[in-house]
Short mmCIF file of all heavy atoms in Angstrom, two decimals:
data_model
loop_
_atom_site.label_atom_id
_atom_site.label_comp_id
_atom_site.label_asym_id
_atom_site.label_seq_id
_atom_site.Cartn_x
_atom_site.Cartn_y
_atom_site.Cartn_z
N ALA B 953 107.33 -5.68 121.72
CA ALA B 953 107.38 -5.30 123.13
C ALA B 953 108.03 -6.36 124.02
O ALA B 953 108.11 -6.18 125.22
CB ALA B 953 105.97 -4.98 123.64
N GLY B 954 108.49 -7.46 123.43
CA GLY B 954 109.18 -8.46 124.25
C GLY B 954 108.25 -9.42 124.96
O GLY B 954 108.70 -10.24 125.76
N GLY B 955 106.96 -9.37 124.67
CA GLY B 955 106.00 -10.24 125.36
C GLY B 955 105.56 -11.41 124.50
O GLY B 955 106.28 -11.86 123.61
N ARG B 956 104.35 -11.89 124.77
CA ARG B 956 103.83 -13.07 124.06
C ARG B 956 103.73 -12.85 122.56
O ARG B 956 103.99 -13.76 121.77
CB ARG B 956 102.41 -13.37 124.55
CG ARG B 956 102.29 -13.72 125.98
CD ARG B 956 100.79 -13.84 126.31
NE ARG B 956 100.57 -13.68 127.73
CZ ARG B 956 100.79 -14.63 128.63
NH1 ARG B 956 101.23 -15.78 128.25
NH2 ARG B 956 100.57 -14.41 129.90
N GLU B 957 103.30 -11.64 122.16
CA GLU B 957 103.09 -11.37 120.74
C GLU B 957 104.40 -11.49 119.97
O GLU B 957 104.43 -12.04 118.87
CB GLU B 957 102.51 -9.96 120.55
CG GLU B 957 101.09 -9.78 121.10
CD GLU B 957 101.07 -9.43 122.58
OE1 GLU B 957 102.12 -9.57 123.26
OE2 GLU B 957 100.01 -9.01 123.08
N MET B 958 105.50 -11.00 120.57
CA MET B 958 106.78 -11.07 119.89
C MET B 958 107.23 -12.52 119.78
O MET B 958 107.73 -12.94 118.72
CB MET B 958 107.83 -10.23 120.62
CG MET B 958 109.09 -10.04 119.79
SD MET B 958 110.19 -8.82 120.52
CE MET B 958 111.20 -9.87 121.51
N ALA B 959 107.05 -13.28 120.83
CA ALA B 959 107.44 -14.69 120.80
C ALA B 959 106.69 -15.42 119.69
O ALA B 959 107.27 -16.21 118.94
CB ALA B 959 107.17 -15.33 122.16
N ALA B 960 105.40 -15.12 119.56
CA ALA B 960 104.60 -15.79 118.52
C ALA B 960 105.08 -15.37 117.14
O ALA B 960 105.18 -16.22 116.23
CB ALA B 960 103.12 -15.42 118.71
N LEU B 961 105.40 -14.10 116.96
CA LEU B 961 105.89 -13.62 115.66
C LEU B 961 107.19 -14.32 115.29
O LEU B 961 107.37 -14.78 114.15
CB LEU B 961 106.10 -12.10 115.72
CG LEU B 961 106.53 -11.46 114.41
CD1 LEU B 961 105.32 -11.27 113.49
CD2 LEU B 961 107.22 -10.12 114.65
N ILE B 962 108.10 -14.42 116.25
CA ILE B 962 109.40 -15.06 115.97
C ILE B 962 109.19 -16.52 115.58
O ILE B 962 109.78 -17.02 114.62
CB ILE B 962 110.32 -14.93 117.22
CG1 ILE B 962 110.74 -13.47 117.38
CG2 ILE B 962 111.55 -15.82 117.07
CD1 ILE B 962 111.45 -13.18 118.69
N ASP B 963 108.31 -17.19 116.32
CA ASP B 963 108.04 -18.60 116.00
C ASP B 963 107.43 -18.76 114.60
O ASP B 963 107.87 -19.59 113.82
CB ASP B 963 107.07 -19.20 117.03
CG ASP B 963 107.77 -19.51 118.34
OD1 ASP B 963 109.01 -19.51 118.34
OD2 ASP B 963 107.07 -19.71 119.35
N GLU B 964 106.43 -17.92 114.32
CA GLU B 964 105.64 -18.14 113.10
C GLU B 964 106.34 -17.62 111.84
O GLU B 964 106.13 -18.17 110.76
CB GLU B 964 104.27 -17.45 113.24
CG GLU B 964 103.37 -18.16 114.24
CD GLU B 964 102.19 -17.30 114.68
OE1 GLU B 964 101.86 -16.34 113.95
OE2 GLU B 964 101.62 -17.59 115.75
N VAL B 965 107.13 -16.58 112.00
CA VAL B 965 107.76 -16.00 110.80
C VAL B 965 109.21 -16.46 110.64
O VAL B 965 109.58 -16.96 109.58
CB VAL B 965 107.69 -14.46 110.84
CG1 VAL B 965 108.42 -13.87 109.64
CG2 VAL B 965 106.24 -14.00 110.86
N PHE B 966 110.01 -16.34 111.69
CA PHE B 966 111.45 -16.60 111.53
C PHE B 966 111.77 -18.07 111.75
O PHE B 966 112.33 -18.73 110.87
CB PHE B 966 112.26 -15.72 112.48
CG PHE B 966 112.01 -14.25 112.28
CD1 PHE B 966 111.70 -13.41 113.33
CD2 PHE B 966 112.08 -13.69 110.99
CE1 PHE B 966 111.48 -12.05 113.14
CE2 PHE B 966 111.85 -12.34 110.78
CZ PHE B 966 111.55 -11.52 111.86
N LEU B 967 111.41 -18.60 112.92
CA LEU B 967 111.83 -19.98 113.21
C LEU B 967 111.15 -20.98 112.29
O LEU B 967 111.67 -22.07 112.05
CB LEU B 967 111.56 -20.31 114.68
CG LEU B 967 112.49 -19.56 115.63
CD1 LEU B 967 112.11 -19.81 117.06
CD2 LEU B 967 113.95 -19.97 115.38
N ALA B 968 109.98 -20.60 111.75
CA ALA B 968 109.31 -21.48 110.80
C ALA B 968 110.14 -21.60 109.52
O ALA B 968 109.98 -22.55 108.75
CB ALA B 968 107.92 -20.95 110.47
N ARG B 969 111.06 -20.66 109.29
CA ARG B 969 111.81 -20.66 108.03
C ARG B 969 113.29 -20.90 108.20
O ARG B 969 113.95 -21.42 107.34
CB ARG B 969 111.57 -19.35 107.30
CG ARG B 969 110.14 -19.28 106.77
CD ARG B 969 109.82 -17.94 106.15
NE ARG B 969 108.46 -17.98 105.60
CZ ARG B 969 107.36 -17.85 106.34
NH1 ARG B 969 107.46 -17.69 107.66
NH2 ARG B 969 106.18 -17.92 105.78
N TYR B 970 113.86 -20.45 109.30
CA TYR B 970 115.29 -20.71 109.52
C TYR B 970 115.56 -20.80 111.01
O TYR B 970 114.72 -20.47 111.83
CB TYR B 970 116.17 -19.64 108.86
CG TYR B 970 115.94 -18.21 109.34
CD1 TYR B 970 116.36 -17.79 110.59
CD2 TYR B 970 115.30 -17.27 108.52
CE1 TYR B 970 116.18 -16.50 111.02
CE2 TYR B 970 115.10 -15.97 108.94
CZ TYR B 970 115.55 -15.58 110.20
OH TYR B 970 115.35 -14.30 110.62
N GLY B 971 116.79 -21.21 111.32
CA GLY B 971 117.16 -21.31 112.72
C GLY B 971 117.10 -22.74 113.19
O GLY B 971 116.64 -23.63 112.48
N ASP B 972 117.58 -22.95 114.39
CA ASP B 972 117.67 -24.29 114.96
C ASP B 972 116.36 -24.63 115.66
O ASP B 972 116.00 -23.97 116.63
CB ASP B 972 118.84 -24.31 115.96
CG ASP B 972 119.01 -25.67 116.61
OD1 ASP B 972 118.21 -26.58 116.30
OD2 ASP B 972 119.93 -25.81 117.43
N PRO B 973 115.64 -25.63 115.16
CA PRO B 973 114.37 -25.96 115.82
C PRO B 973 114.57 -26.41 117.27
O PRO B 973 113.65 -26.34 118.08
CB PRO B 973 113.80 -27.09 114.96
CG PRO B 973 114.94 -27.61 114.14
CD PRO B 973 115.94 -26.50 114.01
N ASN B 974 115.78 -26.86 117.61
CA ASN B 974 116.04 -27.31 118.99
C ASN B 974 116.72 -26.23 119.83
O ASN B 974 117.30 -26.52 120.86
CB ASN B 974 116.92 -28.56 118.97
CG ASN B 974 116.26 -29.69 118.21
OD1 ASN B 974 115.06 -29.94 118.39
ND2 ASN B 974 117.00 -30.34 117.33
N ARG B 975 116.67 -25.00 119.36
CA ARG B 975 117.35 -23.94 120.10
C ARG B 975 116.79 -23.84 121.50
O ARG B 975 115.62 -24.16 121.75
CB ARG B 975 117.15 -22.60 119.37
CG ARG B 975 115.76 -22.10 119.57
CD ARG B 975 115.34 -20.94 118.78
NE ARG B 975 114.01 -20.59 119.28
CZ ARG B 975 113.73 -19.46 119.91
NH1 ARG B 975 114.65 -18.57 120.08
NH2 ARG B 975 112.52 -19.23 120.36
N VAL B 976 117.64 -23.39 122.44
CA VAL B 976 117.17 -23.31 123.82
C VAL B 976 116.48 -21.98 124.11
O VAL B 976 115.77 -21.86 125.08
CB VAL B 976 118.32 -23.53 124.83
CG1 VAL B 976 118.70 -24.99 124.89
CG2 VAL B 976 119.53 -22.68 124.48
N GLY B 977 116.70 -20.99 123.26
CA GLY B 977 116.00 -19.72 123.46
C GLY B 977 116.68 -18.80 124.45
O GLY B 977 116.03 -18.07 125.18
N ASP B 978 118.01 -18.83 124.50
CA ASP B 978 118.74 -17.90 125.36
C ASP B 978 118.99 -16.59 124.61
O ASP B 978 118.73 -16.48 123.42
CB ASP B 978 120.07 -18.53 125.78
CG ASP B 978 119.86 -19.58 126.86
OD1 ASP B 978 118.94 -19.41 127.67
OD2 ASP B 978 120.62 -20.57 126.89
N ASP B 979 119.57 -15.61 125.35
CA ASP B 979 119.82 -14.30 124.73
C ASP B 979 121.00 -14.32 123.78
O ASP B 979 121.15 -13.44 122.94
CB ASP B 979 120.07 -13.25 125.83
CG ASP B 979 118.78 -12.88 126.54
OD1 ASP B 979 117.70 -13.27 126.04
OD2 ASP B 979 118.82 -12.21 127.57
N SER B 980 121.91 -15.31 123.93
CA SER B 980 123.02 -15.49 123.01
C SER B 980 122.96 -16.91 122.46
O SER B 980 122.62 -17.84 123.18
CB SER B 980 124.37 -15.31 123.71
OG SER B 980 124.65 -13.96 123.93
N ALA B 981 123.36 -17.05 121.19
CA ALA B 981 123.58 -18.40 120.65
C ALA B 981 125.01 -18.80 120.99
O ALA B 981 125.86 -17.93 121.20
CB ALA B 981 123.39 -18.39 119.14
N THR B 982 125.31 -20.08 121.09
CA THR B 982 126.71 -20.48 121.24
C THR B 982 127.06 -21.45 120.11
O THR B 982 126.23 -22.26 119.69
CB THR B 982 127.02 -21.14 122.60
OG1 THR B 982 126.36 -22.40 122.68
CG2 THR B 982 126.57 -20.25 123.75
N VAL B 983 128.28 -21.29 119.59
CA VAL B 983 128.74 -22.15 118.49
C VAL B 983 130.14 -22.67 118.82
O VAL B 983 130.96 -21.95 119.41
CB VAL B 983 128.78 -21.37 117.15
CG1 VAL B 983 127.39 -21.17 116.60
CG2 VAL B 983 129.50 -20.04 117.29
N LEU B 984 130.37 -23.92 118.46
CA LEU B 984 131.66 -24.54 118.72
C LEU B 984 132.58 -24.26 117.53
O LEU B 984 132.24 -24.57 116.38
CB LEU B 984 131.47 -26.05 118.91
CG LEU B 984 132.52 -26.79 119.73
CD1 LEU B 984 132.71 -26.16 121.11
CD2 LEU B 984 132.12 -28.25 119.86
N VAL B 985 133.73 -23.64 117.78
CA VAL B 985 134.70 -23.35 116.72
C VAL B 985 136.01 -23.98 117.17
O VAL B 985 136.66 -23.49 118.10
CB VAL B 985 134.89 -21.84 116.53
CG1 VAL B 985 135.93 -21.57 115.44
CG2 VAL B 985 133.58 -21.16 116.18
N GLY B 986 136.38 -25.09 116.52
CA GLY B 986 137.55 -25.84 116.99
C GLY B 986 137.29 -26.30 118.41
O GLY B 986 136.26 -26.90 118.70
N SER B 987 138.21 -25.94 119.32
CA SER B 987 138.02 -26.39 120.70
C SER B 987 137.37 -25.29 121.55
O SER B 987 137.21 -25.45 122.74
CB SER B 987 139.37 -26.78 121.29
OG SER B 987 140.23 -25.67 121.21
N HIS B 988 137.05 -24.17 120.91
CA HIS B 988 136.46 -23.06 121.68
C HIS B 988 134.96 -22.94 121.41
O HIS B 988 134.51 -23.10 120.29
CB HIS B 988 137.13 -21.74 121.29
CG HIS B 988 138.58 -21.69 121.64
ND1 HIS B 988 139.03 -21.75 122.94
CD2 HIS B 988 139.69 -21.64 120.86
CE1 HIS B 988 140.35 -21.70 122.96
NE2 HIS B 988 140.77 -21.66 121.70
N ARG B 989 134.23 -22.64 122.46
CA ARG B 989 132.81 -22.34 122.29
C ARG B 989 132.64 -20.83 122.33
O ARG B 989 133.09 -20.16 123.27
CB ARG B 989 131.98 -23.02 123.38
CG ARG B 989 130.47 -22.82 123.19
CD ARG B 989 129.63 -23.79 124.02
NE ARG B 989 129.56 -25.12 123.44
CZ ARG B 989 128.72 -25.48 122.47
NH1 ARG B 989 127.88 -24.63 121.96
NH2 ARG B 989 128.72 -26.72 122.00
N LEU B 990 132.04 -20.30 121.29
CA LEU B 990 131.83 -18.86 121.21
C LEU B 990 130.37 -18.52 121.44
O LEU B 990 129.48 -19.28 121.04
CB LEU B 990 132.25 -18.33 119.83
CG LEU B 990 133.73 -18.49 119.45
CD1 LEU B 990 133.99 -17.91 118.07
CD2 LEU B 990 134.63 -17.80 120.48
N ALA B 991 130.14 -17.38 122.07
CA ALA B 991 128.77 -16.84 122.20
C ALA B 991 128.61 -15.73 121.17
O ALA B 991 129.55 -14.97 120.91
CB ALA B 991 128.56 -16.28 123.60
N PHE B 992 127.42 -15.67 120.58
CA PHE B 992 127.18 -14.71 119.49
C PHE B 992 125.78 -14.14 119.67
O PHE B 992 124.82 -14.89 119.89
CB PHE B 992 127.30 -15.46 118.15
CG PHE B 992 127.08 -14.58 116.94
CD1 PHE B 992 127.57 -13.29 116.89
CD2 PHE B 992 126.41 -15.08 115.82
CE1 PHE B 992 127.39 -12.50 115.77
CE2 PHE B 992 126.22 -14.30 114.69
CZ PHE B 992 126.71 -13.00 114.67
N THR B 993 125.67 -12.81 119.61
CA THR B 993 124.35 -12.20 119.80
C THR B 993 124.27 -10.87 119.05
O THR B 993 125.29 -10.32 118.66
CB THR B 993 124.05 -11.99 121.31
OG1 THR B 993 122.67 -11.64 121.45
CG2 THR B 993 124.89 -10.85 121.88
N THR B 994 123.07 -10.41 118.86
CA THR B 994 122.87 -9.10 118.22
C THR B 994 121.64 -8.42 118.80
O THR B 994 120.73 -9.08 119.33
CB THR B 994 122.74 -9.24 116.68
OG1 THR B 994 122.64 -7.94 116.11
CG2 THR B 994 121.50 -10.04 116.31
N ASP B 995 121.63 -7.10 118.70
CA ASP B 995 120.55 -6.32 119.32
C ASP B 995 120.44 -4.98 118.60
O ASP B 995 121.46 -4.41 118.23
CB ASP B 995 120.88 -6.10 120.81
CG ASP B 995 119.63 -6.08 121.67
OD1 ASP B 995 118.55 -5.80 121.12
OD2 ASP B 995 119.75 -6.31 122.88
N SER B 996 119.23 -4.50 118.41
CA SER B 996 119.04 -3.19 117.77
C SER B 996 118.47 -2.20 118.78
O SER B 996 117.72 -2.59 119.68
CB SER B 996 118.07 -3.32 116.59
OG SER B 996 118.65 -4.13 115.60
N PHE B 997 118.83 -0.94 118.58
CA PHE B 997 118.44 0.09 119.55
C PHE B 997 117.76 1.25 118.85
O PHE B 997 118.30 1.82 117.91
CB PHE B 997 119.68 0.54 120.35
CG PHE B 997 120.23 -0.61 121.14
CD1 PHE B 997 121.12 -1.50 120.54
CD2 PHE B 997 119.80 -0.86 122.41
CE1 PHE B 997 121.59 -2.61 121.24
CE2 PHE B 997 120.25 -1.97 123.12
CZ PHE B 997 121.15 -2.84 122.52
N VAL B 998 116.55 1.54 119.31
CA VAL B 998 115.71 2.55 118.66
C VAL B 998 115.15 3.52 119.70
O VAL B 998 114.13 4.15 119.50
CB VAL B 998 114.54 1.88 117.89
CG1 VAL B 998 115.08 0.99 116.78
CG2 VAL B 998 113.64 1.07 118.82
N VAL B 999 115.85 3.63 120.84
CA VAL B 999 115.31 4.36 121.99
C VAL B 999 114.99 5.82 121.63
O VAL B 999 115.67 6.45 120.84
CB VAL B 999 116.28 4.27 123.20
CG1 VAL B 999 117.58 5.01 122.89
CG2 VAL B 999 115.63 4.80 124.46
N ASP B 1000 113.92 6.30 122.19
CA ASP B 1000 113.49 7.69 122.02
C ASP B 1000 113.17 8.25 123.40
O ASP B 1000 112.33 7.69 124.09
CB ASP B 1000 112.24 7.73 121.13
CG ASP B 1000 111.63 9.11 121.04
OD1 ASP B 1000 112.39 10.09 121.03
OD2 ASP B 1000 110.38 9.20 121.01
N PRO B 1001 113.84 9.28 123.88
CA PRO B 1001 114.84 10.13 123.22
C PRO B 1001 116.22 9.48 123.17
O PRO B 1001 116.48 8.51 123.90
CB PRO B 1001 114.86 11.37 124.12
CG PRO B 1001 114.49 10.86 125.48
CD PRO B 1001 113.52 9.75 125.25
N LEU B 1002 117.12 10.04 122.34
CA LEU B 1002 118.47 9.48 122.20
C LEU B 1002 119.27 9.64 123.48
O LEU B 1002 120.10 8.82 123.81
CB LEU B 1002 119.21 10.18 121.05
CG LEU B 1002 118.62 10.01 119.66
CD1 LEU B 1002 119.41 10.86 118.66
CD2 LEU B 1002 118.63 8.56 119.23
N PHE B 1003 119.01 10.75 124.19
CA PHE B 1003 119.73 11.04 125.45
C PHE B 1003 118.71 11.13 126.57
O PHE B 1003 117.66 11.75 126.42
CB PHE B 1003 120.50 12.37 125.34
CG PHE B 1003 121.50 12.38 124.20
CD1 PHE B 1003 121.13 12.83 122.94
CD2 PHE B 1003 122.78 11.90 124.40
CE1 PHE B 1003 122.05 12.82 121.90
CE2 PHE B 1003 123.70 11.89 123.36
CZ PHE B 1003 123.34 12.34 122.10
N PHE B 1004 119.01 10.47 127.67
CA PHE B 1004 118.08 10.44 128.81
C PHE B 1004 118.91 10.40 130.08
O PHE B 1004 120.11 10.06 130.03
CB PHE B 1004 117.15 9.21 128.71
CG PHE B 1004 117.87 7.96 128.31
CD1 PHE B 1004 118.51 7.17 129.25
CD2 PHE B 1004 117.93 7.58 126.97
CE1 PHE B 1004 119.20 6.04 128.88
CE2 PHE B 1004 118.63 6.44 126.58
CZ PHE B 1004 119.27 5.66 127.54
N PRO B 1005 118.34 10.73 131.23
CA PRO B 1005 119.13 10.74 132.47
C PRO B 1005 119.76 9.36 132.69
O PRO B 1005 119.06 8.35 132.68
CB PRO B 1005 118.11 11.06 133.57
CG PRO B 1005 117.00 11.77 132.85
CD PRO B 1005 116.96 11.18 131.47
N GLY B 1006 121.07 9.32 132.87
CA GLY B 1006 121.75 8.06 133.15
C GLY B 1006 122.31 7.38 131.92
O GLY B 1006 122.98 6.35 132.05
N GLY B 1007 122.06 7.90 130.72
CA GLY B 1007 122.61 7.21 129.55
C GLY B 1007 122.15 7.79 128.24
O GLY B 1007 121.54 8.86 128.19
N ASP B 1008 122.48 7.08 127.18
CA ASP B 1008 122.08 7.47 125.84
C ASP B 1008 122.07 6.21 124.98
O ASP B 1008 122.46 5.13 125.42
CB ASP B 1008 123.03 8.53 125.28
CG ASP B 1008 124.46 8.04 125.28
OD1 ASP B 1008 124.76 7.04 124.62
OD2 ASP B 1008 125.29 8.66 125.99
N ILE B 1009 121.66 6.37 123.72
CA ILE B 1009 121.51 5.20 122.84
C ILE B 1009 122.86 4.48 122.63
O ILE B 1009 122.89 3.25 122.49
CB ILE B 1009 120.86 5.61 121.49
CG1 ILE B 1009 120.49 4.38 120.66
CG2 ILE B 1009 121.76 6.56 120.71
CD1 ILE B 1009 119.66 4.69 119.42
N GLY B 1010 123.95 5.22 122.68
CA GLY B 1010 125.26 4.61 122.48
C GLY B 1010 125.65 3.69 123.63
O GLY B 1010 126.05 2.54 123.43
N ARG B 1011 125.51 4.19 124.85
CA ARG B 1011 125.84 3.38 126.02
C ARG B 1011 124.95 2.14 126.05
O ARG B 1011 125.38 1.02 126.34
CB ARG B 1011 125.65 4.21 127.28
CG ARG B 1011 126.01 3.48 128.57
CD ARG B 1011 126.02 4.42 129.77
NE ARG B 1011 126.30 3.70 131.02
CZ ARG B 1011 127.51 3.33 131.43
NH1 ARG B 1011 128.56 3.62 130.68
NH2 ARG B 1011 127.67 2.68 132.56
N LEU B 1012 123.67 2.36 125.70
CA LEU B 1012 122.71 1.26 125.68
C LEU B 1012 123.12 0.19 124.66
O LEU B 1012 123.03 -1.02 124.93
CB LEU B 1012 121.36 1.86 125.27
CG LEU B 1012 120.09 1.31 125.84
CD1 LEU B 1012 120.14 1.25 127.34
CD2 LEU B 1012 118.92 2.19 125.39
N ALA B 1013 123.57 0.64 123.48
CA ALA B 1013 123.89 -0.29 122.39
C ALA B 1013 125.07 -1.18 122.76
O ALA B 1013 125.11 -2.35 122.36
CB ALA B 1013 124.18 0.49 121.11
N VAL B 1014 126.01 -0.64 123.52
CA VAL B 1014 127.15 -1.46 123.96
C VAL B 1014 126.74 -2.35 125.13
O VAL B 1014 126.95 -3.56 125.12
CB VAL B 1014 128.34 -0.55 124.35
CG1 VAL B 1014 129.44 -1.39 125.02
CG2 VAL B 1014 128.86 0.17 123.12
N ALA B 1015 126.10 -1.75 126.12
CA ALA B 1015 125.76 -2.50 127.34
C ALA B 1015 124.79 -3.64 127.02
O ALA B 1015 124.94 -4.75 127.54
CB ALA B 1015 125.14 -1.57 128.38
N GLY B 1016 123.81 -3.38 126.15
CA GLY B 1016 122.80 -4.40 125.86
C GLY B 1016 123.42 -5.66 125.28
O GLY B 1016 123.11 -6.78 125.71
N THR B 1017 124.29 -5.48 124.29
CA THR B 1017 124.89 -6.64 123.64
C THR B 1017 125.92 -7.32 124.55
O THR B 1017 125.99 -8.55 124.62
CB THR B 1017 125.50 -6.21 122.28
OG1 THR B 1017 124.40 -5.84 121.43
CG2 THR B 1017 126.29 -7.31 121.63
N VAL B 1018 126.70 -6.53 125.27
CA VAL B 1018 127.66 -7.11 126.22
C VAL B 1018 126.93 -7.95 127.27
O VAL B 1018 127.32 -9.08 127.56
CB VAL B 1018 128.49 -5.98 126.88
CG1 VAL B 1018 129.19 -6.47 128.14
CG2 VAL B 1018 129.49 -5.41 125.88
N ASN B 1019 125.84 -7.42 127.81
CA ASN B 1019 125.13 -8.14 128.85
C ASN B 1019 124.50 -9.43 128.32
O ASN B 1019 124.42 -10.43 129.03
CB ASN B 1019 124.08 -7.24 129.50
CG ASN B 1019 124.71 -6.13 130.32
OD1 ASN B 1019 125.90 -6.20 130.64
ND2 ASN B 1019 123.95 -5.09 130.64
#
Side-chain angles (χ1 to χ4, degrees):
Chain B
R956 297 174 202 281
E957 293 85 347
M958 192 169 92
L961 183 79
I962 290 170
D963 284 346
E964 289 164 20
V965 177
F966 302 129
L967 290 175
R969 289 175 177 79
Y970 60 73
D972 180 359
N974 300 316
R975 75 189 185 114
V976 285
D978 284 328
D979 286 349
S980 283
T982 68
V983 285
L984 204 55
V985 179
S987 58
H988 296 296
R989 185 164 282 278
L990 297 181
F992 181 39
T993 191
T994 183
D995 213 337
S996 295
F997 297 85
V998 297
V999 66
D1000 173 37
L1002 298 175
F1003 302 91
F1004 43 84
D1008 56 61
I1009 189 171
R1011 182 170 177 80
L1012 214 52
V1014 171
T1017 292
V1018 163
N1019 291 344

